[in-house]
Amino acid sequence: MSHDSEAPLRSSIPSEISEVVPRLGRSEPREMWVIRLCFLTVAALLAAIFRPVGVSGGAGAVAGVLVGLVVIAVELRIRGTKPMGVIGAAAGMLIGTLCGALASFVVSLVALSPVQKSPIELLLLLCFGYLGLVSGTRMGLDTPRGALQNLFGRATVAEESGPPAKLLDTSVLIDGRIADVCEAHFLDGPLLVPQFVLHELQLVADSADTLRRQRGRRGLEVLQRMQKMPQLEVRVLEDGAVAAEVDQQLVALARRLRAKIVTNDFNLNRVASVQGIGVLNVNELANALRPAVLPGESMRVFVLREGKEAGQGVAYLEDGTMVVVDGARRVVNKTVDIVVTSVHQTPAGKMIFGRLDDRADGRRPVQRQAPTAGRTLGPSSAEHDPGSDLPKSGPH
């Protein structure tokens, strides 16, 4: 592909990202900055007038501005914190300060001069207050939503029965079937797309490889489609990305938010399950929804190609299930009736073994029919290469 044809494609990626990411209120209104400026001015004037610790008026104003900047920095930092984290931080700091005051009272009883006692008491207050702040914040973030209401017996029905949030992985967005599941109302609760997942999706869509670029653009289109569903709540979660892999960040975020992970990644599924995190795997859902096939049942299939072993033919059902038919090599590219001899479950999906139904005379009802033309295989058949992993003979 020429560079001229790639230029418009790459320039369209940022516009798609801007359409996917909703307005999250990151741009502050001017009124808030006016209030902060007034706060800094008042802090500087009060410090210059009262002159704390005996400093001059100019030094007191500078100290007031510095203290005001620290307060504004704390306000900006806790703005994106969960309410339970703020409550836990306040409670922890209060308890830590009380413990520090108790320790300072003990120090005051020691036979030391006031000049020696004052730094020790101040240090104890700072240390205990800091420990209480950090511990309270962590405990608050780990506390389930509605725990305080449950403690006092005032939990609402919505808080008791509300569905947990789901974190969407990059693989499930690229796959695209999650949009069909949501459209069928089989998935409820808020769907969260972390910022680092969206960033990884953008990198895939911006890849120089044509196939990867198409997959990334497909993931963005699927996310746009889900955001337009009126019954669905899809939010892009602004979370500070750290220097770690996307899977590790996703597991850590799911543990912190007590959310489930929606993915197609087999390894991520295993890692999250080991750590006690709920996982919704679209591949497992697709395998569970495949129609049951019993030995002795007849079906009509289109033999797509030859099998690995002598005399074998390979067909596929509409859901991508591979069907190995003994003696079907001579009827390749034809639709035939077969009898199921056995069904095997493999890590990649279900495999059906059968043989030609020589007794089919048109009176047997057709129960299933595979596609009658060459079709693109489903995800399960793409993961499991039938040509390389076929058993040498199907059991009868």
Side-chain angles (χ1 to χ4, degrees), residues 93-173:
M93 189 172 182
L94 178 61
I95 296 175
T97 304
L98 292 177
C99 293
L102 181 61
S104 300
F105 175 73
V106 175
V107 172
S108 65
L109 301 179
V110 180
L112 294 175
S113 63
V115 179
Q116 295 174 330
K117 293 180 182 179
S118 297
I120 298 177
E121 294 174 354
L122 179 60
L123 183 62
L124 288 174
L125 287 174
L126 290 176
C127 291
F128 278 96
Y130 172 76
L131 291 175
L133 175 65
V134 175
S135 302
T137 303
R138 291 180 178 177
M139 294 179 65
L141 292 176
D142 292 338
T143 302
R145 183 180 61 181
L148 292 180
Q149 290 86 346
N150 292 331
L151 180 62
F152 295 101
R154 293 196 299 268
T156 62
V157 176
E159 289 171 343
E160 292 177 354
S161 59
K166 283 88 174 175
L167 295 174
L168 301 183
D169 184 27
T170 311
S171 61
V172 79
L173 291 173

Side-chain angles (χ1 to χ4, degrees), residues 25 28-29 31-37 39-40 67-81 86:
E28 286 284 353
E31 291 78 5
M32 292 299 301
W33 290 108
V34 171
I35 294 174
R36 294 184 182 116
L37 183 60
F39 171 73
L40 289 178
V67 172
L69 290 176
V70 171
V71 173
I72 292 176
V74 173
E75 179 257 330
L76 293 175
R77 178 64 184 87
I78 67 176
R79 180 181 55 181
T81 307
V86 177

Side-chain angles (χ1 to χ4, degrees), residues 35-352:
I35 294 174
R36 294 184 182 116
L37 183 60
C38 294
F39 171 73
L40 289 178
T41 304
V42 172
L45 289 176
L46 291 177
I49 294 173
F50 292 100
R51 298 180 182 182
V53 296
V55 297
S56 62
V62 173
V65 172
L66 292 178
V67 172
L69 290 176
V70 171
V71 173
I72 292 176
V74 173
E75 179 257 330
L76 293 175
R77 178 64 184 87
I78 67 176
R79 180 181 55 181
T81 307
K82 296 173 60 177
M84 290 302 299
V86 177
I87 295 174
M93 189 172 182
L94 178 61
I95 296 175
T97 304
L98 292 177
C99 293
L102 181 61
S104 300
F105 175 73
V106 175
V107 172
S108 65
L109 301 179
V110 180
L112 294 175
S113 63
V115 179
Q116 295 174 330
K117 293 180 182 179
S118 297
I120 298 177
E121 294 174 354
L122 179 60
L123 183 62
L124 288 174
L125 287 174
L126 290 176
C127 291
F128 278 96
Y130 172 76
L131 291 175
L133 175 65
V134 175
S135 302
T137 303
R138 291 180 178 177
M139 294 179 65
L141 292 176
D142 292 338
T143 302
R145 183 180 61 181
L148 292 180
Q149 290 86 346
N150 292 331
L151 180 62
F152 295 101
R154 293 196 299 268
T156 62
V157 176
E159 289 171 343
E160 292 177 354
S161 59
K166 283 88 174 175
L167 295 174
L168 301 183
D169 184 27
T170 311
S171 61
V172 79
L173 291 173
I174 293 177
D175 178 81
R177 290 176 294 174
I178 184 66
D180 299 326
V181 175
C182 295
E183 199 169 29
H185 298 266
F186 277 98
L187 200 60
D188 56 357
L191 301 181
L192 307 180
V193 182
Q195 186 65 36
F196 52 82
V197 170
L198 187 62
H199 178 66
E200 184 184 35
L201 198 61
Q202 181 183 5
L203 292 180
V204 175
D206 217 7
S207 174
D209 183 77
T210 304
L211 181 59
R212 284 177 56 85
R213 185 166 59 244
Q214 291 177 353
R215 295 177 63 192
R217 292 175 65 89
R218 171 184 171 84
L220 294 174
E221 293 173 357
V222 169
L223 186 54
Q224 289 178 353
R225 175 186 168 190
M226 294 171 60
Q227 284 183 321
K228 294 178 182 179
M229 297 180 185
Q231 82 282 1
L232 206 59
E233 180 185 1
V234 182
R235 300 198 306 266
V236 176
L237 184 62
E238 290 287 345
D239 193 79
V242 296
E245 295 182 357
V246 173
D247 291 355
Q248 297 178 2
Q249 297 183 59
L250 199 63
V251 171
L253 185 60
R255 185 189 302 110
R256 181 161 62 86
L257 299 180
R258 298 182 180 273
K260 296 182 178 181
I261 298 178
V262 185
T263 182
N264 282 346
D265 192 331
F266 179 78
N267 294 327
L268 177 60
N269 191 345
R270 286 293 182 86
V271 172
S273 300
V274 168
Q275 301 186 34
I277 299 174
V279 180
L280 303 178
N281 194 308
V282 179
N283 287 335
E284 293 181 356
L285 175 63
N287 291 334
L289 293 179
R290 288 177 178 175
V293 180
L294 301 177
E297 182 179 351
S298 63
M299 63 172 58
R300 176 167 294 178
V301 296
F302 178 79
V303 182
L304 187 64
R305 60 179 179 82
E306 298 180 357
K308 183 178 179 181
E309 298 301 321
Q312 282 185 346
V314 177
Y316 294 94
L317 299 182
E318 293 182 354
D319 57 6
T321 303
M322 185 172 63
V323 183
V324 181
V325 184
D326 286 339
R329 174 170 291 188
R330 66 180 185 275
V331 291
V332 173
N333 294 327
K334 294 182 180 180
T335 301
V336 296
D337 293 317
I338 68 170
V339 176
V340 177
T341 57
S342 63
V343 180
H344 285 256
Q345 184 68 40
T346 67
K350 186 182 299 183
M351 292 180 60
I352 300 175

Side-chain angles (χ1 to χ4, degrees), residues 360-372:
D361 54 1
R363 292 174 297 177
R364 184 187 302 273
V366 178
Q367 299 183 5
R368 286 187 181 85
Q369 184 170 352
T372 57

